[in-house]
């Protein structure tokens, strides 16, 4: 069966926003009638071009219901974090902005974001989405989309999902294709993001986690015994030619869409090209190489609140009860093609879109990419060490040195 990323029952979601009537957006009188919250003034929202249309409809409804004017300012997504950090302290920034959860450490340490009051609605979102936007026990955004990698399988070449990594390679070799398995790597820096699920399957996460799911920078786990086992495995896969730093992400996609491999470890961003190539495929769980769960990183996008907002009541209301509504979350899915963070919206998409369902099922077991500032010290050494090991370096020595370098950089 050829799956289609746009087979979704929520095709009218954006139009539906214009008639939103949300219970959470109004207070109740003794007579049972609803009244708009007691708010006034205006709020400014920074949003990228892809999501601006969705928010225009939501903003118009919000203004109609509350009387609060919403000004949308379009920004390049990649520029929002730095401009937010620069402008909020001067009073020139917005009340709300869109962004990625791995910005959170920078935003919190610069004092430019405030916690969002989700209340009982926190339980309405996927756990990984809430955990991603948590810092020191506080939630700092209303999440709207979850993104992670999974294993894409050409079902014409291999009919059944792999039970583990070795089974995947055996199935790939039996298919008789040029490559048993593909993942894009950088010649100098490999790709820790794509290789991370294999690393976690050896019991070697980057950091330990606190009880609330947040990361503990004082508990560096990457250099543990499982990490060394993973490093040895990397060297073995490099020597066997299965992991190849000369196969970049673009080359991996090209080879997969040409039918040269039955398996491709990638994210939803490559699905349109795979569909266009006419490949019949399934989205599978990532097979374990080390015996434990293979957990990829999850990236979660959301809308966050400025610490200098002069209208936090209205901003929080717009965040929680409009951006956090099922209608808006479905509309954001329509323009972005990523699994909704709101569970009710995700359930609708999962029932009608097998691609998003497949990625979502893998994402349910994913780990939020650490957003703590100390993660920068990890990236500095991580990828270059992986590349050196894959290309024949002394795996235990290189991995142990990397862990020591990371620890020193953090301290």
């Amino acid at each position: 069966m050829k799956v289609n990323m746009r087979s979704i029952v929520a095709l009218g979601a954006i139009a539906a926003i214009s008639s939103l009537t949300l219970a959470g957006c109004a207070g109740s009188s003794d007579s049972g009638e609803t009244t708009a919250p007691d708010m006034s003034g205006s709020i400014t929202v920074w949003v990228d071009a892809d999501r601006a249309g969705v928010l225009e409809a939501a903003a118009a409804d919000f203004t109609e219901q509350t009387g609060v004017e919403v000004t949308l300012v379009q920004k390049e997504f990649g520029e929002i974090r730095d401009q937010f950090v620069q402008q909020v302290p001067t009073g020139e920034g917005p009340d709300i902005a869109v962004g990625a959860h791995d910005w959170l450490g920078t935003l919190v340490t610069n004092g430019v974001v405030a916690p969002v009051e989700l209340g009982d609605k926190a339980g309405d979102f996927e756990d990984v989405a809430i955990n991603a936007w948590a810092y020191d026990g506080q939630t700092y955004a209303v999440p709207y989309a979850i993104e992670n990698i999974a294993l894409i399988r050409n079902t014409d070449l291999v009919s059944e999902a792999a039970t583990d990594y070795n089974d995947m390679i055996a199935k790939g070799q039996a298919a008789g294709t040029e490559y048993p398995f593909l993942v894009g790597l950088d010649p100098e820096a490999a790709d820790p993001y794509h290789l991370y699920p294999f690393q976690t399957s050896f019991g070697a996460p980057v950091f330990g986690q606190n009880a609330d799911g947040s990361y503990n920078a004082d508990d560096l786990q990457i250099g543990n015994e499982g990490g060394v086992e993973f490093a040895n495995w990397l060297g073995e896969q490099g020597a066997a030619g299965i992991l190849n730093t000369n196969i970049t992400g673009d080359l991996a996609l090209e080879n997969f869409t040409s039918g040269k491999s039955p398996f491709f470890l990638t994210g939803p961003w490559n699905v349109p090209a795979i569909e266009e190539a006419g490949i019949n495929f399934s989205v599978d769980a990532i097979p374990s190489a080390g015996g434990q769960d293979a957990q990829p990183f999850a990236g979660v996008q959301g809308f966050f609140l400025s610490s200098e907002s002069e209208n936090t009541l209205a901003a929080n209301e717009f965040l929680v009860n409009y951006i956090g509504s099922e209608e808006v979350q479905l509309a954001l899915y329509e323009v972005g093609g990523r699994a909704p963070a709101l569970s009710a919206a995700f359930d609708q998409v999962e029932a009608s879109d097998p691609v998003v369902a497949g990625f979502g099922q893998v994402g349910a077991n994913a780990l939020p990419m650490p957003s703590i500032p100390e993660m920068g010290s990890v990236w500095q050494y991580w990828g270059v060490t992986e590349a050196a090991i894959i290309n024949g370096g002394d795996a235990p020595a290189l991995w142990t040195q990397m862990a020591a370098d990371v620890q020193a950089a953090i301290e």
Side-chain angles (χ1 to χ4, degrees), residues 228-365:
V228 175
E229 291 177 4
F230 169 67
N232 286 326
W233 178 86
L234 279 180
E236 293 167 0
Q237 301 308 304
I242 295 171
L243 295 180
N244 187 340
T245 58
N246 290 321
I247 299 178
T248 63
D250 289 342
L251 284 174
L253 175 62
E254 180 182 334
N255 285 320
F256 184 77
T257 55
S258 299
K260 295 181 179 180
S261 177
F263 297 106
F264 182 25
L265 183 61
T266 190
W269 49 85
N270 278 328
V271 166
I274 294 169
E275 291 180 328
E276 186 177 345
I279 301 292
N280 295 313
F281 69 96
S282 174
V283 180
D284 296 343
I286 301 169
S288 172
Q292 301 184 38
D293 287 347
Q295 297 178 278
F297 278 134
V300 182
Q301 294 188 347
F303 289 83
F304 49 88
L305 175 64
S306 167
S307 60
E308 297 299 320
S309 172
E310 296 182 355
N311 201 349
T312 56
L313 176 63
N316 200 82
E317 178 75 11
F318 185 63
L319 280 169
V320 175
N321 291 317
Y322 284 77
I323 293 175
S325 72
E326 189 172 333
E327 292 88 343
V328 172
Q329 295 263 322
L330 284 170
L332 289 168
Y333 155 76
E334 279 294 315
V335 300
R338 302 297 186 263
L342 187 72
S343 297
F346 176 77
D347 289 344
Q348 284 200 46
V349 173
E350 185 179 38
S352 58
D353 190 327
V355 172
V356 173
F359 279 104
Q361 288 161 9
V362 175
N365 193 40

Side-chain angles (χ1 to χ4, degrees), residues 111-151:
V112 293
V113 285
V116 174
E117 300 299 329
L118 286 171
D120 293 341
K121 285 203 69 172
D124 295 343
F125 293 86
E126 296 294 294
D127 288 344
V128 68
I130 294 297
N131 290 341
W133 281 101
Y135 199 100
D136 287 341
Q138 300 275 8
T139 302
Y140 281 89
V142 169
Y144 72 86
I146 304 169
E147 180 176 88
N148 54 269
I149 60 174
L151 186 68

Side-chain angles (χ1 to χ4, degrees), residues 228 230-236 385 389 392-401:
V228 175
F230 169 67
N232 286 326
W233 178 86
L234 279 180
E236 293 167 0
T385 301
I389 292 171
D394 184 333
L398 285 168
W399 196 261
T400 300
Q401 184 61 53

